[in-house]
Amino acid sequence: VLLASVVAALIGAFTAFHHSGGWVPPVLIALLGAGLPVWIITSTKYTVAAGSVDVQCGPFRWHIPGPNVIKIFPTRSVISSPALSLDRLHIEYEQGGMRRSLLVSPLQQGEFIRAVETAKTGTA
């Protein structure tokens, strides 16, 4: 879906340039429509270190202290999230007295779950 949006944005930018003759609208279309998805695809990463789970996805970031994690389990939910695959993990956690959730798609799910469980309990 992200790659299709990049192609559509570039086609839109080309069309805008062809019809308007100016370069400002096409550049804005290309930067926003193609730049953001490319940034998301190339920067999505998940780190479990120092007792926390950190997620980065383009301009978006989440920091979840390990002890705040309530549970983690596999899912195929299609809800929008910082996950580049439908083979996902659902992280339920508490923040500010509210239950929240985040879907991620690490390549090594078993290792990621073990690392989150370790961060959750604070054991080495």
Side-chain angles (χ1 to χ4, degrees):
V1 171
L2 288 173
L3 291 177
S5 69
V6 169
V7 171
L10 294 176
I11 290 171
F14 176 77
T15 303
F17 179 74
H18 183 344
H19 284 56
S20 73
W23 61 272
V24 173
V27 167
L28 290 175
I29 290 170
L31 285 175
L32 293 174
L36 183 61
V38 168
W39 187 11
I40 287 171
I41 290 169
T42 59
S43 72
T44 298
K45 65 180 179 179
Y46 318 108
T47 308
V48 182
S52 68
V53 179
D54 294 302
V55 177
Q56 178 181 339
C57 181
F60 311 104
R61 288 172 178 48
W62 293 262
H63 175 78
I64 306 168
N68 291 17
V69 173
I70 297 166
K71 60 184 168 180
I72 181 170
F73 57 90
T75 185
R76 302 236 352 129
S77 173
V78 295
I79 294 172
S80 178
S81 66
L84 300 177
S85 164
L86 285 178
D87 192 16
R88 300 168 166 195
L89 295 174
H90 179 113
I91 302 172
E92 190 172 316
Y93 63 100
E94 186 176 322
Q95 183 178 33
M98 297 180 62
R99 280 194 175 205
R100 301 181 184 272
S101 64
L102 186 65
L103 304 178
V104 297
S105 58
L107 291 175
Q108 304 297 326
Q109 287 193 3
E111 291 176 27
F112 187 84
I113 290 171
R114 283 189 289 282
V116 170
E117 290 294 337
T118 299
K120 179 180 167 181
T121 60
T123 59

